[in-house]
Amino acid sequence: MFQTVTILLDWFGLCIFTVTGALVASRKEMDIAGFVLLGAVTGVGGGTIRDLVLGRTPVFWVEEPAYVLACLGVAVFTFFFAHIPQSRYRFLLWLDAVGLSLFAVTGAERALQAGAGPVIAIAMGVATATFGGILRDLLGGESPVILRREIYITAALLGAATFVALGALGAPRELALGAGFAAAFLSRAAGLVWGLSLPRYRARPGRTPEGRG
């Protein structure tokens, strides 16, 4: 049952991230092949990095080609209906927040199931949640979301860490999954709604030769 829940969350996250990739293709007015490419790369990119780092080969979508077929179907569907949302960019950001939150916890759980320790599991949760979006933005000619001011990687880190920490403390798995998702989503939502971000580095005047003694 627990494995089934993880698989369902993986599928849901993959479909949502595929839609975000296809929406970027719609903003760039690409053809249907571009929709499929950006959708598939976004959907499976983070999980591919995770599996390669953990030494899990063949990676999940090679072992289960249905993941790629799902990306294909979702991207084609989006090609015909991407015009419906009034603000595709805002819709993209909120869908991305949901996908980020789902993959942060499922990526961490996959790493734990592979025998990784807590620190590596958290890192794999962050990688699973963010690398698909990074590849999407780079291929789509967008400014990568991780370089913008709003909270992004921090949200994935918070979600994965919450899940792993609660699991280590013996909390029920469903509670840990839900809390991890909520932590990631709420922190990302706060960044989107209020523009919250971590403090940025501010340039300071360099020291003069006279002040180095």
Side-chain angles (χ1 to χ4, degrees):
M1 175 181 173
F2 291 162
Q3 183 69 14
T4 301
V5 172
T6 301
I7 292 174
L8 289 175
L9 291 175
D10 252 352
W11 277 98
F12 189 44
L14 177 131
C15 290
I16 288 177
F17 260 156
T18 300
V19 171
T20 70
L23 286 175
V24 169
S26 75
R27 284 166 48 81
K28 300 299 180 179
E29 298 183 349
M30 295 183 180
D31 60 19
I32 196 167
F35 272 67
V36 171
L37 173 64
L38 282 186
V41 166
T42 310
V44 304
T48 301
I49 297 295
R50 176 200 64 216
D51 284 359
L52 290 175
V53 171
L54 292 174
R56 296 182 60 181
T57 53
V59 296
F60 72 102
W61 55 268
V62 174
E63 197 171 32
E64 290 282 348
Y67 283 108
V68 177
L69 294 177
C71 291
L72 171 64
V74 171
V76 170
F77 177 86
T78 308
F79 179 80
F80 292 103
F81 295 99
H83 63 283
I84 293 178
Q86 290 185 348
S87 175
R88 276 176 285 179
Y89 184 64
R90 294 300 295 177
F91 188 55
L92 163 67
L93 290 177
W94 283 104
L95 276 182
D96 184 77
V98 174
L100 174 93
S101 306
L102 284 170
F103 275 180
V105 293
T106 61
E109 181 167 51
R110 291 282 189 181
L112 290 174
Q113 291 171 349
V119 174
I120 300 303
I122 293 171
M124 291 301 96
V126 173
T128 307
T130 59
F131 269 89
I134 293 170
L135 294 173
R136 172 197 67 212
D137 292 341
L138 291 175
L139 292 176
E142 298 272 342
S143 173
V145 70
I146 62 168
L147 299 182
R148 300 172 201 163
R149 291 191 61 183
E150 296 93 354
I151 292 171
Y152 192 76
I153 285 183
T154 307
L157 176 62
L158 184 59
T162 299
F163 168 72
V164 172
L166 288 177
L169 293 172
R173 178 179 175 276
E174 294 82 0
L175 174 61
L177 281 171
F181 173 85
F185 182 77
L186 291 176
S187 55
R188 177 62 180 141
L192 291 175
V193 174
W194 294 298
L196 299 182
S197 63
L198 295 177
R200 293 191 297 166
Y201 174 79
R202 301 289 183 183
R204 294 183 293 273
R207 296 176 61 186
T208 62
E210 293 77 11
R212 291 178 184 169

